[in-house]
Amino acid sequence: MAHLSAEEPVAAHHLRNFIDGRWRPAESGQTRTNLNPADLTDRIGEFAESGGVDVDRAVEAAAAALPAWRELGPIRRAAVLTEAGRRLTDRAAEFARAITREQGKLLREARGEVARARAVLDFTAGQARLLGGVTAPAEEERTFAYTFRRPIGVVGLVSPWNFPLAIPMWKVAPALLSGCTAVLKPSPLTPLTAALLTEVFHEAGLPDGVLNLVQGDVAAGEALVANPAVAGISFTGSLPVGTAIHAGGAHRLLRTQLELGGKNAVIVLDDADLDGAVEAVVHGAFGQAGQRCSATSRAVVDVRVRDAFLDRLVARVAGMKVGPGTDPASQICPVVNPARMEAALAAVAGAQRDGGKVLCGGGRATGEGLPDGCYVQPTVIRDVPWDSELAQEEVFGPVLAVVDADGFDDAMRISNSVKYGMSGTIFTASQSRAFEAIERFEAGMLHVNRPGVGAYAHLPHVGAKASQYGPPECSPQVWDFYTEWHSACISY
């Protein structure tokens, strides 16, 4: 099939799945409405609500395309990724607008996400000449021994709504370079960005069936996990869903890569640069309205500097402007949908019942000129018990719990008291405490005297404890999910 015409409107394809090189409606004909969280009167479109039949067709297409794609080799596969990167750059403004419109984040945050996706793509393409094995000495004479990798086969890629371009990219790019073929199932809250991403790869020359897009929710996801031709599932999302995916595929030894929740702490010790700590906490807690797995949802502050820290923090947060992502003056974007807004407000109410005191925010943001959207005031709550629900459970909203700590050891205990382990951060002037904290944090991504969010494309994006199962994403370690090792011995 010829590639989509450059003159053909992209919007004509957004209603459909992309299977075996063609845009198709869901077999059932059912659709789901996609709304702009910044303005719920803005109807973005009706997107396919897929089921098992659609998923099975996509998997069949991926399985049929697998042999030729695998045999192409990583260097020629990388050429497609490189071309996709060029096209992504050419359409960067379009992608940023789509991300902001359907996910809600500030336009500058969306531009940053596009740049991150391009960095991941560039890094992955550059791995093509490194995706090999090793030679090894043999125990017998006249024997050549070596190892190599093979792609695991068809993979299902299940991505979340909070990074609708970057996270699909850091699944799709390594899957394709490894020689796997894929079925991408994005969040039903962000179908537009996934359609644009799929189109970019198709226009870059990706053969039909290598990357398939199936829009939908639970039914599509369950069908992907259940299909016996799927060799692995890479999932980013909540702990309950990730656990269900792992359990659902365990009987057939389905390979899983699961990046799950986080309840991340920034420790502020009594020798910290308080101004620097405040800026890092604001960035981590309220950037993207707190909707990141690595978001700063707890500030664990030494009681000796607590009041001084809170004075600075509240003065900074209380003046932040909540508004649409398209408004250059906005500093806090909306949350993704009404359900997420209600969950954030419920978390505030629960914290108050547990004795927490709201210092700023705490309610729905309203005001003249603010559209009918999902706006939550940036909220700081002090006196939060370390073992209360707000201090233990993920909120995914602009709500920061401030927990008192009595010194370094107590702060480390509180930081590690949760079931999650995505990110850990400490602010201190002590080199000794900084290195000791790195050793003691029960988390995958660690930071000292800098914001606790963000990662480089060439470093593992990885959690500990209930935040991660399986190999990391990004980094050379990602190949341990998409490929399997083989060894060979040849007598000559």
Side-chain angles (χ1 to χ4, degrees):
M1 174 183 173
H3 301 323
L4 299 176
S5 168
E7 287 74 32
E8 191 172 0
V10 174
H13 308 291
H14 287 168
L15 305 182
R16 302 176 177 89
N17 297 321
F18 188 75
I19 299 174
D20 201 18
R22 290 199 302 155
W23 295 98
R24 307 166 183 252
E27 179 67 20
S28 66
Q30 295 182 343
T31 60
R32 175 188 292 261
T33 303
N34 189 21
L35 300 177
N36 181 348
D39 182 356
L40 296 173
T41 66
D42 178 17
R43 188 186 184 109
I44 298 171
E46 300 289 328
F47 290 78
E49 185 63 53
S50 304
V53 173
D54 306 290
V55 169
D56 290 347
R57 286 179 175 170
V59 173
E60 288 172 8
L66 179 64
W69 183 245
R70 180 176 55 204
E71 292 169 11
L72 194 62
I75 294 175
R76 284 184 288 175
R77 292 194 293 261
V80 179
L81 270 63
T82 299
E83 177 60 25
R86 294 192 192 100
R87 292 174 180 269
L88 175 63
T89 298
D90 291 343
R91 297 172 64 176
E94 178 187 2
F95 271 92
R97 289 193 300 269
I99 292 168
T100 292
R101 189 178 178 203
E102 69 173 351
Q103 195 275 337
K105 66 181 65 176
L106 303 179
L107 192 55
R108 60 179 175 271
E109 293 174 330
R111 293 189 186 109
E113 181 174 350
V114 176
R116 175 70 188 280
R118 178 63 198 263
V120 169
L121 191 52
D122 289 347
F123 167 77
T124 305
Q127 289 283 296
R129 287 172 169 79
L130 302 175
L131 195 59
V134 298
T135 58
E139 295 181 6
E140 298 91 3
E141 62 182 18
R142 299 179 63 82
T143 301
F144 179 62
Y146 68 103
T147 64
F148 61 95
R149 295 179 183 265
R150 282 184 181 150
I152 62 172
V154 177
V155 291
L157 311 176
V158 184
S159 61
W161 49 262
N162 60 331
F163 286 94
L165 176 62
I167 292 180
M169 184 65 84
W170 75 48
K171 297 179 187 296
V172 169
L176 298 185
L177 187 72
S178 73
C180 293
T181 54
V183 178
L184 171 64
K185 195 212 80 65
S187 166
L189 298 179
T190 52
L192 173 60
T193 307
L196 292 172
L197 171 64
T198 304
E199 186 176 65
V200 159
F201 274 100
H202 182 69
E203 292 181 341
L206 196 66
D208 294 347
V210 173
L211 175 62
N212 304 274
L213 172 70
V214 177
Q215 308 277 15
D217 202 358
V218 176
E222 289 178 342
L224 196 55
V225 172
N227 192 301
V230 175
I233 296 285
S234 177
F235 168 79
T236 300
S238 70
L239 176 59
V241 176
T243 303
I245 288 172
H246 189 67
H251 71 283
R252 63 183 184 88
L253 302 180
L254 176 71
R255 184 178 292 202
T256 56
Q257 178 189 49
L258 310 174
E259 184 196 309
L260 307 170
K263 190 65 183 177
N264 311 293
V266 169
I267 292 175
V268 182
L269 295 184
D270 58 359
D271 61 348
D273 171 5
L274 295 185
D275 291 329
V278 165
E279 287 304 310
V281 168
V282 168
H283 176 68
F286 304 114
Q288 205 170 303
Q291 299 172 115
R292 295 182 281 206
C293 63
S294 59
T296 300
S297 55
R298 295 179 295 159
V300 180
V301 186
D302 191 300
V303 292
R304 296 160 187 80
V305 294
R306 176 197 56 204
D307 292 344
F309 173 80
L310 286 175
D311 287 345
R312 290 170 168 81
L313 179 66
V314 172
R316 178 78 168 77
V317 174
M320 297 182 77
K321 177 180 171 56
V322 180
T326 53
D327 183 352
S330 296
Q331 296 170 290
I332 303 284
C333 68
V335 295
V336 74
N337 66 1
R340 178 52 41 208
M341 177 175 64
E342 294 303 324
L345 298 177
V348 174
Q352 290 176 300
R353 289 193 297 271
D354 289 336
K357 300 175 183 176
V358 175
L359 299 183
C360 63
R364 183 175 181 178
T366 58
E368 185 178 353
L370 200 62
D372 178 20
C374 306
Y375 299 100
V376 177
Q377 296 171 335
T379 302
V380 177
I381 307 178
R382 66 170 294 175
D383 298 338
V384 177
W386 70 268
D387 57 351
S388 64
E389 183 174 3
L390 183 65
Q392 294 287 314
E393 297 296 335
E394 201 170 32
V395 175
F396 243 57
V399 179
L400 175 71
V402 180
V403 183
D404 293 349
D406 186 12
F408 175 62
D409 289 331
D410 193 38
M412 292 302 309
R413 176 190 66 81
I414 293 169
S415 176
N416 291 333
S417 68
V418 298
K419 61 189 172 186
Y420 298 110
M422 185 61 71
S423 172
T425 304
I426 188 167
F427 272 79
T428 179
S430 167
Q431 187 180 69
S432 174
R433 284 174 167 177
F435 277 95
E436 184 174 352
I438 288 174
E439 292 294 325
R440 292 173 61 178
F441 271 127
E442 296 172 0
M445 295 179 289
L446 310 176
H447 305 269
V448 175
N449 295 332
R450 66 188 304 275
V453 294
Y456 301 139
H458 56 286
L459 291 182
H461 195 286
V462 64
K465 298 162 71 171
S467 290
Q468 182 82 32
Y469 183 86
E473 301 208 73
C474 306
S475 78
Q477 286 71 39
V478 74
W479 308 121
D480 289 335
F481 174 71
Y482 292 105
T483 67
E484 56 191 7
W485 281 107
H486 297 266
S487 64
C489 297
I490 303 171
S491 292
Y492 58 90

